[in-house]
């Protein structure tokens, strides 16, 4: 017998390679469009047979182009490989993910029972893809936006369903990226409206329709102007002056947000350059979003803008970031803030402090120079004892970390008095000035006069006993005024002056805290407690008479209430007059620590 033997291993390997190239993407090894079409037909058949839903998803990476531009295409390819791997591991075995082209992927998710099941999976997927990537020893941060449609509610060819998902992807991009949206038949009208709004904002940026209004920050003891917060406004040709809440949400998470943020930086540095040329030592602070701070190339672009103002002393330039935004990616915020401080000498202020769920962690971790007390706490502290506690707690916390503390939302002289008694001297708010164009600053300076009630703190602010006893007097006065207002205005809404217990009152909280801190001797404190208990009892009875319609009897009680108020006030003044000049019972840092 004769035989011929031939090794066809290479031939088989070549055929396998050709088959792989015909059905799989060469870079990511994911199914290509050819294999996707076959999988789509199978998925449709399975959906019809099992009476389940099929989600066709179109995924596009956010901020992928800057990676190619800055790090090169090799880094971009490595990033795509990592993205493909993460998607593959997040999907179920029977699901399909295909690289559709560039940084676009199509996914077929079968066995879907309802919309909630689908969106839970997409939510986990967007979270996974937004985790940092380590490429070429550099940390890269991107995210993904997804549009999806559901068969059989949406029917048609594979190309039709992909187009519908792609259209909805565009909406997800406009709504802030790192999100997903579902296609709804007959709901294409939003695209034209949204496009028109974005076009109008782009045009406004080109036509210089945006302005920076400036709100002063002052020292309430000295009246010194320490700086300004820059707040953007849009002088719309048809709608007039528009405020940030009217247009900023439209551009959240888009490249337009970054462009507008860079305009704000440039305009603020322009004002700073003018002031420094006039020897005015004012600082200026601007609000930056976490999205802008975390965008690829932020520090490089910031450096380029700074280079346009070589004479500006950047120690007077500040960024303000919302505490709630800092929650999004604390590690990234820390790196950017630290670089700005160390390389550019730009300080950062943590805005709306106290609204986040981890304020202590933020103030310990973030390299900030100051915190701003959220204006809602400041505005409400005259009526709400809990807001008062928060404000006082923030002031003490900031002192403990040697940070400046600024109160915003100061809308009355009384707000300022209480803040000064608590130890906060820096403030901004309507009682000082509303935001104004830069051209109006000189006129405001000439007309503004520091309230006399604030000036009295100039010589006594270091005396803890004096400021704390004065704080009690202010609280007591608030209690009396709230009742007087009810009788004078004949208010019928009981919520405007509710009946509260001693422990819920401003003065009651002060008395409990003072006993623990031992700011005054126990004998004086007990006398003060008895006097206030009598005052509060009469105040409660007066309010009950008013609510019962016995206003005449209530007015008689009000006269007695004023007498008891005067008695307490004079007693406190006698304690304060006993202080020796220059006596300081505790340093600021000790007081903050005790708090």
């Amino acid at each position: 017998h004769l035989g011929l033997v031939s090794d066809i291993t290479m031939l088989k390997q070549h055929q396998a390679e050709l088959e792989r190239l015909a059905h799989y993407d060469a870079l990511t090894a994911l199914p290509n469009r050819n294999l996707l079409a076959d999988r789509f037909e199978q998925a449709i058949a399975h959906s019809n047979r099992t009476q389940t839903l099929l989600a066709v998803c179109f995924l596009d990476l956010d901020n992928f182009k800057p990676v190619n531009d800055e790090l090169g295409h090799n880094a971009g390819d490595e990033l795509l490989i990592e993205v493909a791997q993460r998607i593959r591991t997040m999907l179920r075995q029977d699901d399909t993910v295909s690289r559709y082209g560039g940084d676009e992927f199509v996914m077929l998710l079968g066995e879907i029972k309802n919309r909630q099941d689908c969106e839970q999976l997409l939510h986990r997927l967007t979270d996974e893809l937004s985790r940092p990537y380590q490429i070429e020893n550099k940390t890269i941060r991107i995210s993904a936006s997804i549009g999806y449609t559901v068969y059989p509610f949406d029917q048609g060819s594979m190309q039709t369903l992909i187009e519908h998902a792609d259209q909805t992807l565009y909406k997800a991009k406009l709504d802030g990226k790192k999100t997903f949206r579902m296609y709804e038949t007959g709901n294409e009208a939003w695209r034209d409206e949204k496009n028109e709004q974005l076009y109008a904002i782009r045009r406004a940026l080109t036509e210089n329709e945006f302005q920076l209004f400036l709100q002063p920050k002052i020292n309430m003891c000295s009246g010194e102007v320490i700086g300004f917060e820059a707040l953007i406004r849009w002088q719309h040709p048809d709608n007039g002056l528009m405020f940030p809440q009217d247009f900023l949400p439209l551009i959240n998470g888009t490249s337009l947000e970054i462009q507008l943020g860079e305009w704000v930086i440039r305009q603020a540095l322009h004002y700073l350059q003018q002031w420094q040329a006039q020897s005015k030592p004012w600082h200026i602070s601007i609000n930056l979003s976490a999205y802008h701070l975390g965008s690829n190339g932020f520090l490089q672009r910031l450096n380029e803008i700074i280079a346009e103002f070589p004479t500006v002393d950047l120690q007077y330039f500040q960024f303000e970031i919302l505490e709630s935004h800092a929650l999004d990616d604390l590690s990234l915020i820390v790196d950017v803030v630290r670089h700005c401080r160390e390389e550019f000498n730009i300080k950062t202020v943590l805005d709306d402090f106290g609204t986040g769920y981890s304020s202590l962690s933020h103030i310990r971790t973030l390299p900030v120079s100051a915190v701003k007390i959220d204006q809602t706490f400041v505005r409400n502290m005259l009526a709400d004892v809990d807001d008062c506690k928060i404000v006082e707690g923030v002031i003490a916390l900031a002192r403990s970390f040697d940070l400046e503390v600024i109160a915003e939302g100061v809308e009355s002289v009384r707000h300022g008095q209480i803040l000064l008694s608590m130890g906060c001297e820096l403030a901004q708010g309507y009682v000082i000035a509303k935001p104004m164009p830069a051209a109006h600053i000189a006129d405001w300076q000439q007309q503004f006069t520091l309230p006399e009630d604030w000036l009295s703190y100039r010589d006594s602010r270091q005396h803890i006993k004096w400021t704390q006893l004065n704080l009690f007097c202010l609280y007591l006065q608030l209690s009396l005024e709230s009742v007087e207002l009810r009788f004078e205005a004949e208010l019928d809404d009981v919520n405007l002056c509710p009946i509260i217990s001693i422990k819920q009152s401003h003065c009651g909280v002060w008395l409990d805290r003072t006993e623990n801190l031992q700011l005054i001797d126990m004998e004086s404190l007990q006398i003060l407690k008895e006097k206030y208990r009598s005052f509060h009892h009469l105040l409660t009875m007066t309010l009950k008479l008013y609510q019962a319609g016995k206003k005449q009897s209530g007015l008689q009680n009000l006269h007695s209430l004023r007498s008891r108020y005067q008695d307490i006030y004079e007693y406190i003044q006698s304690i304060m007059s006993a202080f020796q000049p220059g006596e300081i019972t505790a340093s600021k840092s000790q007081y903050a620590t005790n708090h």
Side-chain angles (χ1 to χ4, degrees):
H1 295 274
L2 299 176
L4 293 174
V5 178
S6 177
D7 187 354
I8 61 172
T9 302
M10 294 295 294
L11 177 62
K12 289 295 184 181
Q13 288 177 345
H14 183 62
Q15 289 176 344
E17 180 65 15
L18 290 176
E19 184 178 349
R20 189 184 68 81
L21 292 174
H23 295 94
Y24 292 89
D25 175 59
L27 178 66
T28 62
L30 294 178
N32 60 16
R33 296 192 185 196
N34 293 331
L35 185 54
L36 176 66
D38 182 63
R39 296 278 181 88
F40 176 81
E41 295 301 329
Q42 295 178 31
I44 291 291
H46 180 77
S47 175
N48 293 331
R49 186 171 60 256
T50 60
Q51 297 297 301
T52 55
L53 307 178
L54 171 68
V56 179
C57 311
F58 198 94
L59 182 151
D60 182 74
L61 299 180
D62 306 321
N63 303 319
F64 177 74
K65 186 176 182 298
V67 176
N68 272 339
D69 294 343
E70 296 172 20
L71 301 181
H73 290 284
N74 288 337
D77 288 346
E78 288 187 36
L79 181 59
L80 288 173
I81 294 171
E82 175 66 19
V83 167
Q85 181 60 31
R86 291 191 188 187
I87 296 175
R88 189 186 290 114
T89 57
M90 291 296 294
L91 299 188
R92 298 161 299 182
Q93 185 176 0
D94 294 334
D95 294 332
T96 297
V97 55
S98 165
R99 185 186 178 199
Y100 202 68
D103 59 336
E104 299 171 340
F105 299 84
V106 170
M107 298 177 295
L108 305 177
L109 310 180
E111 296 285 349
I112 298 294
K113 296 180 181 179
N114 51 50
R115 179 173 180 172
Q116 184 179 8
D117 286 347
C118 180
E119 296 202 342
Q120 285 178 348
L121 176 59
L122 296 182
H123 183 73
R124 292 195 300 270
L125 181 59
T126 52
D127 282 348
E128 174 67 17
L129 295 180
S130 65
R131 287 194 304 106
Y133 298 81
Q134 293 296 326
I135 305 295
E136 296 183 353
N137 297 322
K138 293 187 177 181
T139 300
I140 297 176
R141 298 174 187 273
I142 60 170
S143 57
S145 299
I146 302 172
Y148 75 97
T149 188
V150 178
Y151 176 88
F153 302 125
D154 185 17
Q155 297 191 15
S157 65
M158 181 185 78
Q159 191 59 38
T160 299
L161 268 59
I162 289 176
E163 286 178 0
H164 289 173
D166 188 16
Q167 292 169 13
T168 315
L169 165 70
Y170 184 67
K171 185 176 187 297
K173 292 276 191 181
L174 293 178
D175 285 349
K177 301 183 181 180
K178 194 191 170 184
T179 187
F180 45 83
R181 293 291 180 265
M182 186 180 80
Y183 176 79
E184 297 178 9
T185 305
N187 191 30
E188 290 84 8
W190 62 267
R191 287 193 295 160
D192 293 335
E193 180 184 357
K194 194 82 173 186
N195 283 338
E196 288 179 6
Q197 291 171 328
L198 290 176
Y199 174 77
I201 295 174
R202 287 192 182 94
R203 179 194 54 77
L205 195 55
T206 304
E207 299 295 327
N208 294 319
E209 293 177 3
F210 290 107
Q211 301 179 33
L212 280 190
F213 275 40
L214 304 172
Q215 186 174 32
K217 304 175 188 177
I218 71 164
N219 185 304
M220 292 185 289
C221 277
S222 64
E224 175 191 4
V225 178
I226 61 171
F228 297 84
E229 179 182 2
L231 301 162
I232 194 167
R233 302 287 187 266
W234 181 4
Q235 189 62 53
H236 196 283
D238 299 322
N239 301 331
L241 193 67
M242 295 178 64
F243 292 85
Q245 62 268 27
D246 297 326
F247 56 89
L248 288 186
L250 298 171
I251 61 174
N252 282 346
T254 68
S255 60
L256 197 52
E257 181 180 21
I258 295 175
Q259 294 175 39
L260 194 58
E262 291 179 355
W263 178 87
V264 171
I265 294 172
R266 188 175 282 105
Q267 188 66 26
L269 288 173
H270 172 70
Y271 287 142
L272 204 54
Q273 182 175 257
Q274 289 182 332
W275 296 340
Q276 291 178 1
Q278 299 166 7
S279 299
K280 294 176 180 176
W282 297 336
H283 70 239
I284 189 169
S285 61
I286 64 171
N287 296 279
L288 286 184
S289 69
Y291 176 77
H292 189 181
L293 281 170
S295 61
N296 287 324
F298 169 77
L299 292 173
Q300 179 182 346
R301 288 290 298 137
L302 176 62
N303 188 43
E304 292 170 357
I305 296 173
I306 289 172
E308 299 173 21
F309 303 88
T311 62
V312 170
D313 186 349
L314 293 176
Q315 67 172 315
Y316 295 97
F317 192 39
Q318 295 181 346
F319 293 152
E320 292 192 16
I321 55 174
L322 293 177
E323 184 187 10
S324 54
H325 285 181
L327 297 175
D328 294 338
D329 197 331
L330 190 59
S331 61
L332 177 61
I333 297 295
V334 168
D335 292 340
V336 173
V337 169
R338 181 174 290 112
H339 188 94
C340 288
R341 184 184 65 180
E342 294 175 355
E343 298 298 324
F344 302 130
N345 203 19
I346 297 175
K347 299 177 181 177
T348 300
V349 178
L350 195 56
D351 197 5
D352 289 357
F353 188 75
T355 57
Y357 63 75
S358 186
S359 296
L360 184 59
S361 173
H362 290 151
I363 203 173
R364 178 178 61 85
T365 307
L366 286 166
V368 297
S369 61
V371 296
K372 293 182 75 173
I373 310 173
D374 181 58
Q375 57 184 311
T376 56
F377 299 138
V378 175
R379 286 173 180 165
N380 297 333
M381 69 180 184
L382 302 188
D384 192 321
V385 69
D386 288 332
D387 284 341
C388 220
K389 291 177 183 177
I390 291 173
V391 171
E392 199 159 14
V394 170
I395 293 169
L397 186 62
R399 280 180 173 177
S400 298
F401 285 89
D402 295 322
L403 299 175
E404 284 187 344
V405 59
I406 306 166
E408 54 182 349
V410 180
E411 297 187 346
S412 70
V413 173
R414 183 60 50 79
H415 281 94
Q417 287 178 283
I418 291 179
L419 287 165
L420 285 165
S421 295
M422 290 178 175
C424 176
E425 298 180 4
L426 306 183
Q428 67 183 97
Y430 283 4
V431 72
I432 300 166
K434 293 183 178 180
M436 68 188 83
H440 295 179
I441 290 176
D443 291 340
W444 168 78
Q445 271 194 295
Q446 291 180 352
Q447 297 173 6
F448 177 73
T449 303
L450 195 70
E452 288 292 331
D453 289 332
W454 293 356
L455 283 170
S456 62
Y457 289 82
R458 182 176 296 178
D459 299 324
S460 306
R461 54 187 170 176
Q462 297 292 339
H463 202 302
I464 300 303
K465 279 187 178 181
W466 188 94
T467 55
Q468 283 300 300
L469 286 168
N470 190 67
L471 184 59
F472 182 86
C473 288
L474 292 169
Y475 289 156
L476 191 68
Q477 193 172 355
L478 281 175
S479 301
L480 179 61
E481 287 175 350
S482 65
V483 181
E484 290 176 332
L485 177 64
R486 171 174 286 278
F487 280 90
E488 291 172 5
E490 297 186 356
L491 302 171
D492 294 327
D493 187 356
V494 296
N495 293 322
L496 293 176
C497 192
I499 296 174
I500 58 176
S501 67
I502 288 182
K503 288 189 175 296
Q504 292 175 312
S505 68
H506 288 78
C507 290
V509 170
W510 185 95
L511 288 168
D512 286 344
R513 189 185 70 240
T514 300
E515 183 174 3
N516 295 330
L517 295 177
Q518 300 179 353
L519 288 174
I520 57 177
D521 64 89
M522 291 302 298
E523 182 179 354
S524 298
L525 181 61
Q526 289 304 317
I527 294 173
L528 187 57
K529 280 186 174 183
E530 288 299 321
K531 288 179 178 291
Y532 178 68
R533 189 176 293 113
S534 174
F535 172 87
H536 187 271
H537 176 73
L538 185 58
L539 182 146
T540 301
M541 294 304 299
T542 304
L543 287 175
K544 287 182 177 179
L545 287 170
Y546 187 95
Q547 292 178 1
K550 301 177 181 180
K551 297 182 181 179
Q552 194 59 38
S553 299
L555 282 171
Q556 293 176 359
N557 273 15
L558 184 58
H559 179 72
S560 300
L561 193 65
R562 288 168 178 153
S563 298
R564 294 190 187 183
Y565 163 80
Q566 189 64 29
D567 176 55
I568 297 175
Y569 180 81
E570 290 175 357
Y571 180 71
I572 292 178
Q573 292 300 313
S574 69
I575 298 176
M576 295 170 71
S577 65
F579 296 157
Q580 297 297 321
E583 177 191 356
I584 299 177
T585 60
S587 68
K588 284 189 173 184
S589 59
Q590 290 173 329
Y591 179 69
T593 303
N594 291 337
H595 252 61

